[in-house]
Amino acid sequence: MRQPNFGGPRGPHAQNQGGIQKIDRKTRNIIWRMARLVLGDYKLSIGVVLVCIVVTSVTTLASTLFTRTLIDDYIVPLTQTDNPEYHSLAQVLFKLGLILLVGVVCSYLYNRLMINVSQGTQLKLRKQLFERMERLPISYFDQRQHGDIMSVYTNDVDSLRQMISTALAQVFNSVITIGVTLASMIVLSVPLTIVSCLIAAVMMVTTTKLGKRSRAYFRTQQESLGRVNGFIEEMMTGQKVVKVFCREEQAVSDFEAINEQLRSSACSANRIANIVMPVNGNLSNLGYVLIAVVGATIALGDFSLFTFNLSLGTIVAFLTLNKSFTQPITHVSQQINSVLNAAVGAERVFTLMDAEPEVDEGTKALVSPKGDVDFTDVNFGYVPEKQVLFDIDINTQPGQKIAFVGGTGAGKTTVINLINRFYETNSGQILYDGIPIKDIRKDSLRKSMSIVLQETHLFTGTVLDNIRYGRLDATDDDCIRAAQLVGAHDFIRRLANGYQTVLSGDGGNLSQGERQLLAIARAAVANPPVLILDEATSSIDTRTEQLVQQGMDTIMKGRTTFVIAHRLSTVRNADQIIVLDHGRIVEQGSHDELLALRGRYYRLYEGDTSLLN
């Protein structure tokens, strides 16, 4: 079952929090790393984007400044002339049209480039994440929720894409626009520029104050949304259990409760965040009126001593520039929040990318392995403070069948994990053909083994492809023989397209027993010297177990086989039966020898289920 992600949503749900957040040192480092990631492959594209943004801003500014020229040099003189001549005005307007056309082309170009950059970065990130994930140890996945790892590939990476494609370009555009516009405003009128800057400062302070109040509510909203997503996922995967116990009404009631928590927190968060734009809009309008009043006062008054005289065209141009100045400030505050929220997703992405890969200190390769596996004084714990295995000593001969029995948590699967080097021993050693397994390369070691897990997993593809997964160079005949060997051939022939039947959804159209048989056939086609069966027949009914047992016995001939089983009937013919209890070997011997001891194994064989806990 995929684990629900309780880490909160990413992407659009985590954006637009209404205020400029404080950037700490850690966040700055993440943002800088994001920038290096984007610039790494797209320096030229980003450079072109910046040039296009500058050109777009300049063309927009040129049209604004032209307003002054249009009014002062053309419209006013034309209104004062009895026979106005519009030829020169038409020429100027045509030139302005060409300039604006250049701006439109540049705007289109940089938006297209940013889409390419964002999608390319997303492709690169997911590729790097998957490559890193394939090199991570099993312990990484055992210690983390699978749903949380999946959210890194989806929500967190997508939040970066959105930030690059929209927020990044808008921040560039807004910053450049603010700088160019401010310079033009200063040239037109210093007094009006001071008034405009004061209004902009009030807008920034207001935005920041509102943002501080809304962030706490948004954090609660994210947590509530995470709980809703997790609950829905849990109910979908457990739908059969819900229906078996008739808990539909209880499920609906529980969902309504957590959904109400989401609604309440979302209302509180958006109530504040959604007033930022109206407040800033009104402040901008107030500034517009204030500048018009101040500008008119200066224009109508006598300020020649201070060189403050303003023409009508200058006032109109400045009012337009003021809009161009204040609007990007609001945009920047919002987009900075988008960047910072994308940094949260980036932190999770980089955490996975920076995870320590599986270490392999082995240098030796197995040549014609025999499958002689021995344990000597092995101790192990998944975490240092809790030991799981104590003084494990096992001596095997190639071709023997070794069975592990014991209650839940006795350490049976842990022993198997050590043989595969999914985990490393804390002390003691495990020998494979007389070689310490720590000295054997992991790929060489694992290729000499096949394992059938209690929880089967089938990949999307044909039945033949799933069997061939055990050995990619196996022929169709090899796969069919393996299926015949384990007793899977008959049910495969009854499928719609036989061996070419396409499986999807982890083989959801097959019974659990049929899925397990395919997993056993996959192990059989690999033809290894060591076979590991981790309760491989636990999901097979008694009749199917009888059919497959003969095939299993055939597979195990000549191979060292480690078997974990709750059904003691499947291990009666084992050469060694090892009884584990709380990580210690308490009994060891053949079936008859252990029955003669009349100890723990005898009690298990007689049906004392209390020993299984």
Side-chain angles (χ1 to χ4, degrees), residues 456-461 466 502-510 512 515:
T456 61
H457 182 78
L458 300 178
F459 298 94
T460 299
N466 273 277
V502 177
L503 304 178
S504 60
D506 202 13
N509 55 331
L510 302 178
Q512 185 64 29
R515 295 170 67 242

Side-chain angles (χ1 to χ4, degrees), residues 578-594:
I578 298 171
V579 184
L580 291 166
D581 181 37
H582 293 91
R584 300 181 186 274
I585 297 178
V586 294
E587 293 176 3
Q588 187 171 355
S590 67
H591 173 74
D592 294 333
E593 291 171 345
L594 293 180

Side-chain angles (χ1 to χ4, degrees), residues 365-372 398 432-433 435 444 448 527-530:
L366 292 173
V367 179
S368 301
K370 300 175 182 179
D372 184 3
Y432 189 108
D433 289 353
I435 306 172
S444 179
S448 72
N527 195 27
V530 176

Side-chain angles (χ1 to χ4, degrees), residues 240-435:
K240 289 182 180 179
V241 178
V242 173
K243 292 187 178 299
V244 164
F245 290 98
C246 302
R247 293 292 184 267
E248 292 92 342
E249 292 184 4
Q250 181 65 42
V252 171
S253 177
D254 293 342
F255 176 78
E256 288 177 350
I258 60 174
N259 198 36
E260 173 60 24
Q261 293 176 0
L262 174 60
R263 185 203 65 79
S264 177
S265 59
C267 285
S268 298
N270 289 285
R271 186 179 298 116
I272 297 176
N274 287 343
I275 68 173
V276 172
M277 286 296 291
V279 168
N280 280 339
N282 288 328
L283 287 174
S284 178
N285 292 335
L286 178 63
Y288 189 90
V289 173
L290 186 59
I291 289 173
V293 171
V294 174
T297 302
I298 294 175
L300 297 175
D302 184 9
F303 294 94
S304 58
L305 181 62
F306 303 99
T307 65
F308 284 172
N309 285 338
L310 297 175
S311 66
L312 177 61
T314 301
I315 296 175
V316 173
F318 198 96
L319 289 172
T320 306
L321 287 174
N322 179 67
K323 284 290 186 181
S324 300
F325 180 66
T326 56
Q327 286 180 355
I329 292 176
T330 303
H331 293 160
V332 167
S333 67
Q334 291 178 329
Q335 298 310 325
I336 285 179
N337 282 331
S338 298
V339 172
L340 295 179
N341 285 308
V344 176
E347 182 180 2
R348 288 162 51 83
V349 170
F350 295 146
T351 297
L352 177 54
M353 290 178 63
D354 295 338
E356 289 295 328
E358 187 172 16
V359 177
D360 187 5
E361 298 177 351
T363 57
K364 298 180 179 179
L366 292 173
V367 179
S368 301
K370 300 175 182 179
D372 184 3
V373 181
D374 297 317
F375 286 68
T376 304
D377 297 327
V378 171
N379 295 280
F380 172 75
Y382 290 101
V383 292
E385 61 270 14
K386 186 177 181 180
Q387 190 167 336
V388 177
L389 296 180
F390 303 84
D391 304 320
I392 302 298
D393 285 289
I394 303 173
N395 295 313
T396 70
Q397 297 296 325
Q400 282 189 333
K401 179 180 178 180
I402 313 299
F404 297 95
V405 299
T408 302
K412 305 183 295 296
T413 301
T414 302
V415 173
I416 300 304
N417 286 337
L418 296 181
I419 297 175
N420 285 280
R421 287 191 69 191
F422 290 156
Y423 293 87
E424 303 289 356
T425 61
N426 293 348
S427 62
Q429 66 177 356
I430 303 174
L431 302 178
Y432 189 108
D433 289 353
I435 306 172

Side-chain angles (χ1 to χ4, degrees), residues 438-602:
K438 289 185 177 180
D439 296 337
I440 303 173
R441 294 203 318 265
K442 288 184 178 180
D443 60 342
S444 179
L445 177 68
R446 292 170 183 170
K447 285 179 181 178
S448 72
M449 303 178 183
S450 275
I451 182 169
V452 180
L453 300 172
Q454 180 179 5
E455 297 182 1
T456 61
H457 182 78
L458 300 178
F459 298 94
T460 299
T462 65
V463 171
L464 208 60
D465 292 336
N466 273 277
I467 297 175
R468 187 178 286 115
Y469 199 83
R471 179 164 59 89
L472 296 181
D473 61 350
T475 64
D476 291 355
D477 290 338
D478 292 336
C479 296
I480 293 173
R481 279 195 295 268
Q484 291 172 335
L485 192 64
V486 303
H489 181 68
D490 289 340
F491 93 80
I492 293 175
R493 288 193 307 167
R494 292 194 298 269
L495 296 175
N497 297 306
Y499 283 88
Q500 297 302 323
T501 301
V502 177
L503 304 178
S504 60
D506 202 13
N509 55 331
L510 302 178
S511 70
Q512 185 64 29
E514 290 169 343
R515 295 170 67 242
Q516 195 76 5
L517 286 173
L518 289 183
I520 296 171
R522 178 193 295 164
V525 79
N527 195 27
V530 176
L531 183 64
I532 298 173
L533 306 174
D534 188 353
E535 300 190 52
T537 59
S538 62
S539 300
I540 300 176
D541 58 75
T542 305
R543 179 178 177 277
T544 307
E545 181 182 350
Q546 292 173 350
L547 293 174
V548 78
Q549 192 63 52
Q550 182 178 358
M552 294 285 291
D553 291 339
T554 304
I555 296 174
M556 291 184 285
K557 286 181 180 178
R559 293 184 176 88
T560 303
T561 306
F562 295 93
V563 180
I564 298 175
H566 282 305
R567 296 178 185 175
L568 299 187
S569 59
T570 62
V571 299
R572 292 183 57 181
N573 61 345
D575 297 289
Q576 288 190 61
I577 299 175
I578 298 171
V579 184
L580 291 166
D581 181 37
H582 293 91
R584 300 181 186 274
I585 297 178
V586 294
E587 293 176 3
Q588 187 171 355
S590 67
H591 173 74
D592 294 333
E593 291 171 345
L594 293 180
L595 287 181
L597 290 176
R598 302 182 70 83
R600 190 176 186 86
Y601 180 80
Y602 174 83

